[in-house]
Amino acid sequence: MTAIIGFHIKRLASKWPAPVLLVLAPVLLPEVALAEGDWRASVGLHTEHTDNANKSEDNPLSERQDEVELNLGGNYANRWVSFEAGYEASERRFNEGSQENRSLLRGDSELTLGQPTDPVDLVVTHSRRTVLNAPDDVDLLRNNDERTILSALPSARWQPTGADLLMARGQFSDVDYRFRPERNSERQGASLIWQRDVSEVDSLTLTGQETEVSFDAAPQADYEYRAASLSYRVNLRRLQYRVQVGYNKSRPAVGEGLSSPSYLVDVNLGDAASRWGFSASQFITDNSSGSGNQGDLGDFSPGDSSSGELDQLERTRAELRWMNQTLCARCNLTLTTYWQSDDYRLEAQDQDELGFRLSGRYAVSQQSSLDLSWQRRDRQFEAGAERSDFVQNRLRARYEYHFVQDMTVSLFLARNERQSDDNRREYAENTGGLGLSYKF
């Protein structure tokens, strides 16, 4: 077992590009970079059997699929520097050759030089996510690309009074795709920010922003983005919320742009035992950056895709979350539902997506737990889009047993079903397997 895991880790290390290794260096060398911080690492080996590896109604294939996974993360802070990272590297193999073997790297990191009270600081962020090649594709590994976003955000600030803060912030970002470099883009811009502390618990912020977006492979898709907004934030013991209203517009190099009101609402209510969360937003973006790799790994939320011509779009989304640990002494329950709508400037890709997820965990004993989840996604496209509407349901059960020496064994079963306007993309699949992981 140890030899197999070591072999896969060496293969992963040989495939990571140099920029990613640089970002991961503080995590990979915890004894140097995180000596005064906190770090974590785990390695796992998972094997599962599926009765429909191609996720196809006409061509079911039984197959064993194996995956080795390495998780690295940590944080470090002193007077001058703070760093936080969490990455998941994996390699997947397919016993019957239904897909090509492939390595993946996903995660986030953030490096900050300076403090929020300093006159200047620099924030460098890195994120990597998988994105579907097309919004109606079946979610197979071969139908996914990988998007990396690397950003540098230098800031200068001046505090004329104890309640007022003036800030100028630059933005330099690169968006890179692993398999479709023609979708890569660069962003350069600046923001002017005025923040006013109304009291100890609330504040007002006025922001003006201008960004130039360029595409090396498609200069005709370049555009300028401008936005202005006013936000109000409140931070109480059991209630935190932020309300932002403004206006944003795009001015493309060719053709007419988009312009519309923008808004952001973010509300959290409750405590650690029972908590509600609600968020809603409307903004202009493009189908290279999308929502900017937001959200934690494993989040149940709508994703982006890398299909179609490069174009701007107006995205409207809302999400409601509920978490409860008071229903019984050994269980917790989580509910998430979302809605997202994309309205493109030129492309016939307008779409709406509705999702619902219910999950629960029951502590069978101090060492073992049982997780159950059910999720549903419903995606609809405009009449002129050459896409297929679909509804997808997934039911999953997972049992974990934790040994005293940080070793975990897991067993899982899942049922996946998809109904689609395109019969070639309908399927039913049953999977089951086991995993072994070790936390350092």
Side-chain angles (χ1 to χ4, degrees):
M1 177 74 175
T2 304
I4 294 175
I5 294 175
F7 169 77
H8 283 289
I9 292 175
K10 290 179 181 179
R11 289 201 58 185
L12 287 172
S14 67
K15 293 183 179 181
W16 288 345
V20 174
L21 289 176
L22 289 175
V23 174
L24 290 176
V27 182
L28 294 172
L29 300 174
E31 66 276 13
V32 176
L34 300 179
E36 299 177 5
D38 180 34
W39 71 282
R40 60 193 180 275
S42 65
V43 63
L45 184 62
H46 311 275
T47 183
E48 69 177 54
H49 181 271
T50 171
D51 64 358
N52 192 353
N54 292 314
K55 291 181 168 59
S56 169
E57 187 178 32
D58 300 327
N59 185 27
L61 172 67
S62 295
E63 183 180 57
R64 193 188 81 241
Q65 300 176 358
D66 303 317
E67 182 178 32
V68 63
E69 184 177 274
L70 175 64
N71 290 277
L72 297 169
N75 59 78
Y76 171 80
N78 62 26
R79 170 63 183 86
W80 308 106
V81 176
S82 63
F83 176 80
E84 185 172 1
Y87 285 92
E88 175 188 286
S90 62
E91 182 170 329
R92 192 154 195 177
R93 295 190 168 188
F94 303 88
N95 180 252
E96 298 294 332
S98 66
Q99 303 181 64
E100 293 184 3
N101 298 335
R102 181 167 157 190
S103 60
L104 292 172
L105 176 66
R106 302 184 301 164
D108 306 90
S109 61
E110 179 174 299
L111 173 67
T112 303
L113 305 177
Q115 297 289 335
T117 55
D118 294 339
V120 296
D121 69 1
L122 173 65
V123 178
V124 180
T125 64
H126 175 273
S127 64
R128 190 177 177 101
R129 295 288 189 276
T130 56
V131 294
L132 277 173
N133 293 334
D136 57 343
D137 266 348
V138 175
D139 193 9
L140 294 167
L141 186 58
R142 64 170 177 259
N143 292 336
N144 278 270
D145 205 337
E146 296 166 55
R147 180 175 63 195
T148 300
I149 301 180
L150 179 63
S151 300
L153 305 169
S155 299
R157 56 180 59 84
W158 175 50
Q159 193 163 8
T161 70
D164 294 287
L165 176 66
L166 299 175
M167 186 185 314
R169 173 175 293 162
Q171 178 193 1
F172 306 91
S173 299
D174 282 328
V175 180
D176 292 296
Y177 284 79
R178 179 177 178 182
F179 300 109
R180 294 190 175 184
E182 68 275 8
R183 305 192 70 80
N184 295 351
S185 60
E186 296 181 357
R187 291 146 209 275
Q188 300 182 17
S191 301
L192 294 177
I193 304 167
W194 169 62
Q195 180 177 309
R196 171 77 177 182
D197 292 334
V198 180
S199 70
E200 292 183 354
V201 298
D202 61 342
S203 62
L204 284 169
T205 303
L206 179 64
T207 303
Q209 175 187 353
E210 181 169 348
T211 304
E212 292 186 358
V213 181
S214 59
F215 304 89
D216 289 341
Q220 72 278 3
D222 295 354
Y223 70 97
E224 294 180 358
Y225 173 79
R226 294 179 180 177
S229 64
L230 176 65
S231 68
Y232 177 65
R233 184 191 298 268
V234 174
N235 189 5
L236 303 174
R237 186 176 64 87
R238 288 178 52 85
L239 172 65
Q240 304 84 40
Y241 67 88
R242 176 188 174 194
V243 178
Q244 176 180 302
V245 293
Y247 196 81
N248 63 162
K249 63 180 181 179
S250 68
R251 188 171 66 180
V254 178
E256 302 213 356
L258 295 173
S259 61
S260 67
S262 63
Y263 62 83
L264 172 66
V265 178
D266 194 0
V267 182
N268 288 283
L269 173 65
D271 51 31
S274 179
R275 194 165 188 84
W276 289 89
F278 172 77
S279 61
S281 60
Q282 179 174 287
F283 56 95
I284 293 174
T285 183
D286 59 71
N287 54 359
S288 170
S289 175
S291 293
N293 288 355
Q294 292 183 355
D296 297 329
L297 292 180
D299 271 358
F300 179 69
S301 59
D304 292 319
S305 64
S306 60
S307 64
E309 298 294 327
L310 293 168
D311 195 11
Q312 296 117 57
L313 61 110
E314 182 183 71
R315 173 163 289 177
T316 307
R317 61 187 301 173
E319 181 177 343
L320 178 66
R321 305 169 301 276
W322 176 62
M323 184 276 296
N324 188 283
Q325 296 180 344
T326 63
L327 297 179
C328 70
R330 293 188 175 188
C331 59
N332 63 63
L333 191 67
T334 302
L335 168 67
T336 303
T337 182
Y338 69 80
W339 169 76
Q340 178 170 293
S341 177
D342 289 344
D343 184 5
Y344 281 77
R345 182 178 67 102
L346 297 175
E347 285 288 286
Q349 299 282 339
D350 293 358
Q351 57 192 275
D352 291 272
E353 182 174 353
L354 181 65
F356 182 87
R357 184 175 191 268
L358 180 64
S359 63
R361 165 170 286 198
Y362 179 76
V364 181
S365 67
Q366 291 185 346
Q367 292 81 31
S368 61
S369 61
L370 177 64
D371 293 271
L372 298 172
S373 67
W374 171 70
Q375 66 183 45
R376 178 184 177 92
R377 297 179 186 268
D378 186 346
R379 181 170 281 190
Q380 308 288 325
F381 299 90
E382 68 171 333
E386 296 181 359
R387 301 293 177 192
S388 303
D389 298 348
F390 68 88
V391 176
Q392 185 168 335
N393 290 278
R394 183 183 186 191
L395 181 64
R396 182 179 174 90
R398 179 185 180 92
Y399 174 80
E400 290 186 344
Y401 186 87
H402 304 273
F403 293 94
V404 291
Q405 295 183 342
D406 295 320
M407 185 77 74
T408 300
V409 174
S410 60
L411 301 172
F412 63 88
L413 295 170
R415 168 76 175 181
N416 299 313
E417 293 182 349
R418 172 170 165 144
Q419 294 84 43
S420 173
D421 292 346
D422 184 350
N423 294 334
R424 297 169 301 175
R425 296 182 177 183
E426 285 192 335
Y427 69 88
E429 178 191 27
N430 298 297
T431 61
L434 58 90
L436 179 64
S437 63
Y438 180 80
K439 185 196 303 184
F440 297 95

